Amino acid sequence: MNTRDWPIRAKLTALVIGPVTALLALWIFATTLTFGPALDLLAARTLLYDLGRPGETVVAELQRERRLSVVQLAGDTTLPALAEQRERTDRAVAELRRRVGGEDLRDAADDLLDARLDQLVSALDALPAGRGFIDAGEMDRVGAIGLYSGMINSAFQAFSAMAAYPDAQLNREALALTALGRCRELLGQTDSLLAGAITAGRYAEGEHEQLVRTIDNQRFLAETTVADLPEGERAAYQRLTEGEAFVRLNALQDTLIRARDLPAGLDVRAWESSQAAVGQGLRDFELRGLDDLAERSVPMAVGILVRLVAVGALGLLAIVICLLVSLRVGRSLAARLTGVRTAALEMAEHRLPDVVARLRRGEEVDVAREAPELDHGADEIGQVGRAFNEVRRTAVQAAVDEVTLRRGLNEVFLNIARRSQGLVHRQLALLDRLERKTEDPDELAGLFQVDHLATRLRRHAEDLVILAGAAPGRGWRSPVAAVDVVRGAISEVESYDRVDVGEVQPAGVIGRAVGDVIHLVAELIENATAFSPPGTRVQVTGRAMPGGYLIEITDHGLGMSPQALADANRKLSRSPEFNPADSARLGHFVVGRLAARHGVRVELRLAAPAGTTAVVLVPADLITDEPAVGPIGPDAGVARPDDRRTARAARLTSVPRPRVTRTGRERPEPAVVPPAADQPSSVEPPVDGDGLPRRVRRRGPAIRARAAGADTPAHRPPEDARRAMSALQAGTARGRRDGARAAADRLREAGPTVGTTRPGEAGPGTPSHPTDGRSPVGDPSTDAARDQAAELAPPVPAAEPPSVTERDA
């Protein structure tokens, strides 16, 4: 039996139950041993009155019937007295049978007495048959004496079995009284033999020898029995033997012993009177002795019961005290051990995770308060408790240190990501200006490719920001069409040329969620292109739903196993905690956090016949009507910053393919590029189906034609004047920067100077981004002012991009 995995309460209970059970068994055993003799003493009265007296009556009646039967067999006539005696014997036997068959006698009798009673009943069953042989003369006098003597002997054997008292003195007295009864029986046998010989006038063959043996046995038994009687009973028996009848009977017995034949001068009347007197005296002596035993057994039984109750009560009290002490000690041990276990489980399951969660939320944690001292005593359990206190304190401190370290690492990653993000935004702004100033199609195509790589680099920088727990900081002030959101997402994917845009139903995404939705969809599209064969296509569709707007990205790759699909959906359904060990699925972490930020539901499903479908459900509170194509109103001729950023995000649809070598001077088909904000043209540029203008890829003329009516003055609204002044101010600031850069160049040519910072590089103490963690170009208002100034300012020669320090200035 393996008890190693038992609960502590079960072990303590088993430890207590063993000794207590053994002690209880000993108590029950001792009580039973003491209680049994007491019950035997109390049952002595039942045995004496239900067996002793009825049995003695049967013995006396059988002795009389035996004498009369021998007399009848010795004579020639039937004795009427024999019939009357048989009736008295039958009544005595019936009463004895009734008592023997009762429950009281059987319950009080032990096994030996039960067997002797059964033998007595069986012997009495032979009485009717023996009477028949006697009446038919088929039995002699010796046989008749043997018949009745056998039944009487069975009765005395039952009387001897009654002497099973727990007290030795009572047993000796009971056996002595039974032996006196046997002496009386031997006297009866002698009387029966002599009565038959007197009736027949002589002894039958062997009767005289039997008579002598019977007398000798009676005298020997009497002498040995008297020694076991108490002093008072012995004196009473001595007085009985000294009586006249007893002395005369002994003298007559001596005469019978000496004479081999029946004495001629035997006084028959003296014999009969002496024998009757002695027999009656012995019977009365036996009955008085039995009554005395019955009376003496009751007080002895009561005394034994009193002692039994006292000892049993003390033993039971000891058991109860032992049990209570064991239960108290066991319960104390179990409670203390349970307390240690509860404290350990609470620390492992509740307190430590709560401390870690609070630390990750940025809350301050007091180690002493979170791991208080628990007093479990001064014994071994207390020592274990103190050791566990140290373990708890160390665990909480380790959690604090770990979360502090992770927070510091996040800050480091966020700082690096913000710097990279700022540089990428500046790079994109510079590329945008270069694209607007470049007219050569080949150079413009190269710039578009660089712009695409910078866009992807910006998304990866934003991944770091998101994994560090911060917001990317890229947003729009106005709603953006769903088709432009999809195109913006495609523009941030490496294999954009494998993506097909299917039906995208008209809808708009509010500005605050545009950047995150573009990033989320871009991550899913990049997964679709990365985990599908290069020759397959990826389809992107969008449609309005009752609960929002549904975007589906479907690839035709190998798909995912059901277990991997379930794990991925579980990770996408909540904002997961970033686990560096699972770096192979960074996109899922990013998508999960972006989706949780705006309440977007993302789910991966198996596509038919193969592949995977990513379903993105943008909630209805982020969806609005599709914005109008182009601005309307007084600003219809001015490009807004949001419009330009949307066009820049959707530029992938207009990036030219790599050129193929052609024969002659054949030129490729022109590709669509976004219009430059400062390109004047008298011809209306072509317009796509989505309303975005595009210009034709061509070589620019050396001299631009001026639009008709350019010199004609026109009414300028106040907004135009404000924009003109902003452009003038921006040009002045640009000139000053150029002058500072020229001075810096002169200083470099003259030689390095201690403490001088190169243009375009941040000094040791110069931050590479604003203190709020956002890049200047990431702010919509800053972008709008700069873009408007760039549109209205006169063109300037291309120069080196300004450093972060200069832009912040």
Side-chain angles (χ1 to χ4, degrees):
M1 181 174 58
N2 185 14
T3 61
R4 182 176 181 180
D5 298 332
W6 285 13
I8 188 63
R9 290 186 179 273
K11 293 180 180 179
L12 292 175
T13 302
L15 189 64
V16 171
I17 284 178
V20 172
T21 303
L23 185 60
L24 183 61
L26 289 176
W27 178 81
I28 293 174
F29 180 71
T31 303
T32 304
L33 288 180
T34 309
F35 191 66
L39 291 180
D40 293 340
L41 288 174
L42 291 177
R45 293 177 62 89
T46 302
L47 296 177
L48 291 176
Y49 288 105
D50 287 351
L51 178 60
R53 287 188 175 275
E56 193 278 332
T57 302
V58 169
V59 169
E61 297 299 333
L62 287 175
Q63 289 173 349
R64 296 189 185 96
E65 184 177 345
R66 178 181 59 189
R67 186 178 187 279
L68 292 175
S69 298
V70 171
V71 171
Q72 180 174 319
L73 288 173
D76 297 332
T77 59
T78 302
L79 299 177
L82 179 58
E84 296 176 0
Q85 181 58 43
R86 287 177 176 178
E87 293 178 0
R88 289 191 296 269
T89 302
D90 290 339
R91 287 194 296 269
V93 171
E95 178 64 20
L96 179 62
R97 288 179 181 274
R98 185 182 67 82
R99 295 294 184 91
V100 170
E103 294 183 358
D104 295 339
L105 180 59
R106 290 291 184 176
D107 292 339
D110 56 5
D111 296 337
L112 179 60
L113 183 57
D114 279 336
R116 298 289 175 83
L117 290 177
D118 294 336
Q119 293 177 4
L120 175 59
V121 172
S122 299
L124 293 176
D125 291 338
L127 182 58
R131 288 174 178 175
F133 289 122
I134 292 172
D135 292 340
E138 297 178 357
M139 184 180 296
D140 57 3
R141 298 196 302 266
V142 176
I145 293 174
L147 172 66
Y148 286 98
S149 297
M151 290 183 285
I152 294 172
N153 187 49
S154 297
F156 279 107
Q157 288 180 355
F159 296 157
S160 298
M162 290 171 53
Y165 302 106
D167 186 77
Q169 181 61 32
L170 291 179
N171 283 332
R172 286 195 298 269
E173 294 180 15
L175 291 175
L177 292 176
T178 304
L180 289 178
R182 289 182 178 275
C183 291
R184 185 165 54 87
E185 162 60 15
L186 293 174
L187 286 177
Q189 292 181 16
T190 302
D191 181 58
S192 299
L193 286 172
L194 186 59
I198 292 173
T199 303
R202 61 184 180 85
Y203 292 117
E205 185 178 358
E207 284 185 345
H208 183 266
E209 290 78 5
Q210 185 178 359
L211 178 66
V212 173
R213 287 195 304 269
T214 303
I215 294 173
D216 290 339
N217 290 336
Q218 178 262 324
R219 290 180 177 181
F220 175 78
L221 187 58
E223 291 176 1
T224 56
T225 300
V226 173
D228 293 332
L229 291 175
E231 187 65 27
E233 298 294 331
R234 192 182 307 122
Y237 182 78
Q238 188 65 31
R239 288 191 298 270
L240 178 63
T241 58
E242 292 175 355
E244 179 182 359
F246 209 100
V247 172
R248 186 169 55 248
L249 181 63
N250 285 335
L252 292 174
Q253 287 178 347
D254 293 337
T255 301
L256 293 175
I257 292 173
R258 288 191 299 266
R260 295 192 56 84
D261 294 330
L262 187 64
L266 181 63
D267 190 353
V268 178
R269 290 185 178 274
W271 170 266
E272 291 178 355
S273 60
S274 301
Q275 197 274 336
V278 171
Q280 186 63 39
L282 291 176
R283 182 183 181 190
D284 294 340
F285 184 83
E286 294 173 22
L287 294 177
R288 285 194 305 268
L290 291 176
D291 292 339
D292 182 64
L293 286 177
E295 295 298 331
R296 287 164 57 193
S297 64
V298 174
M300 293 180 63
V302 172
I304 293 175
L305 289 176
V306 170
R307 292 194 300 271
L308 174 64
V309 171
V311 175
L314 290 177
L316 185 61
L317 181 61
I319 292 175
V320 172
I321 292 175
C322 179
L323 184 61
L324 291 178
V325 171
S326 301
L327 288 177
R328 182 177 179 84
V329 174
R331 185 175 299 175
S332 175
L333 290 175
R336 294 171 62 192
L337 291 174
T338 303
V340 175
R341 183 197 64 180
T342 303
L345 292 178
E346 182 184 3
M347 172 58 65
E349 297 178 358
H350 302 287
R351 191 178 291 272
L352 194 58
D354 179 66
V355 168
V356 174
R358 288 163 54 193
L359 288 171
R360 288 175 179 173
R361 292 195 300 266
E363 300 180 11
E364 293 294 332
V365 173
D366 186 5
V367 177
R369 180 175 176 272
E370 297 299 333
E373 290 287 341
L374 299 178
D375 186 12
H376 295 283
D379 57 355
E380 288 79 359
I381 297 178
Q383 295 172 5
V384 173
R386 286 192 294 273
F388 177 70
N389 287 334
E390 295 298 329
V391 172
R392 290 199 310 163
R393 189 180 300 106
T394 304
V396 174
Q397 186 63 48
V400 172
D401 296 342
E402 179 186 356
V403 173
T404 303
L405 177 61
R406 293 184 63 180
R407 187 184 301 165
L409 290 176
N410 284 343
E411 292 294 334
V412 171
F413 292 154
L414 185 60
N415 191 3
I416 296 174
R418 289 294 189 190
R419 293 187 181 189
S420 301
Q421 191 180 24
L423 294 175
V424 170
H425 278 294
R426 290 170 58 189
Q427 182 182 8
L428 288 173
L430 177 61
L431 288 172
D432 187 60
R433 288 196 300 270
L434 293 176
E435 290 168 4
R436 288 200 300 268
K437 296 174 184 177
T438 301
E439 296 294 336
D440 184 84
D442 296 333
E443 294 181 1
L444 193 59
L447 289 176
F448 285 169
Q449 293 292 337
V450 175
D451 186 290
H452 172 57
L453 293 175
T455 302
R456 291 173 53 202
L457 183 61
R458 178 185 61 188
R459 180 167 63 86
H460 293 316
E462 289 180 353
D463 287 345
L464 271 180
V465 175
I466 294 171
L467 292 177
R474 182 164 56 115
W476 274 254
R477 288 177 297 181
S478 302
V480 176
V483 65
D484 293 337
V485 171
V486 173
R487 288 176 177 175
I490 297 173
S491 71
E492 297 185 0
V493 177
E494 178 180 6
S495 302
Y496 59 87
D497 53 348
R498 290 176 49 206
V499 182
D500 296 333
V501 180
E503 179 186 4
V504 179
Q505 295 182 0
V509 180
I510 62 176
R512 63 181 175 86
V514 169
D516 290 341
V517 173
I518 290 176
H519 195 149
L520 185 150
V521 176
E523 292 287 347
L524 296 175
I525 294 176
E526 185 159 19
N527 280 347
T529 58
F531 293 97
S532 60
T536 60
R537 309 293 296 176
V538 175
Q539 287 82 27
V540 182
T541 60
R543 65 179 184 274
M545 299 288 291
Y549 193 83
L550 188 69
I551 301 175
E552 293 184 351
I553 301 101
T554 304
D555 65 76
H556 300 284
L558 298 177
M560 303 173 66
S561 64
Q563 181 63 35
L565 202 65
D567 294 341
N569 285 328
R570 184 168 56 254
K571 188 181 299 182
L572 295 174
S573 63
R574 53 186 175 85
S575 179
E577 190 68 27
F578 174 60
N579 184 12
D582 193 11
S583 58
R585 296 290 185 269
L586 292 180
H588 289 172
F589 285 105
V590 174
V591 172
R593 289 196 175 182
L594 292 176
R597 182 180 302 167
H598 297 286
V600 178
R601 292 178 56 188
V602 181
E603 183 180 358
L604 301 181
R605 301 174 182 174
L606 295 177
T612 305
T613 299
V615 180
V616 180
L617 179 61
V618 183
D621 56 350
L622 301 181
I623 300 301
T624 183
D625 295 334
E626 185 178 40
V629 179
I632 58 176
D635 299 336
V638 181
R640 297 177 300 173
D642 286 353
D643 296 337
R644 284 198 302 276
R645 281 191 290 167
T646 303
R648 193 161 58 239
R651 189 170 293 154
L652 262 239
T653 57
S654 59
V655 173
R657 305 291 184 190
R659 295 193 301 171
V660 181
T661 305
R662 301 176 182 271
T663 57
R665 300 179 58 86
E666 182 180 0
R667 294 287 184 181
E669 291 296 329
V672 180
V673 297
D678 56 352
Q679 177 184 358
S681 175
S682 60
V683 182
E684 184 69 22
V687 179
D688 277 337
D690 55 0
L692 294 177
R694 59 184 175 86
R695 62 186 179 188
V696 180
R697 180 179 179 182
R698 63 182 181 277
R699 299 284 184 181
I703 301 176
R704 297 182 181 180
R706 297 183 62 184
D711 296 333
T712 304
H715 174 72
R716 175 175 293 181
E719 289 78 4
D720 293 347
R722 178 177 58 81
R723 285 195 293 273
M725 295 302 296
S726 297
L728 179 62
Q729 184 179 4
T732 303
R734 188 182 303 110
R736 291 176 179 176
R737 287 196 298 272
D738 293 342
R741 187 162 46 252
D745 293 338
R746 288 193 298 271
L747 287 176
R748 283 196 301 272
E749 293 174 359
T753 304
V754 177
T756 304
T757 303
R758 295 180 58 189
E761 296 181 355
T766 306
S768 61
H769 57 83
T771 57
D772 60 354
R774 299 182 58 188
S775 174
V777 295
D779 183 67
S781 60
T782 307
D783 287 346
R786 183 169 59 254
D787 292 340
Q788 291 174 0
E791 289 175 3
L792 299 177
V796 296
E800 181 182 356
S803 67
V804 177
T805 306
E806 294 171 347
R807 292 176 61 86
D808 291 340

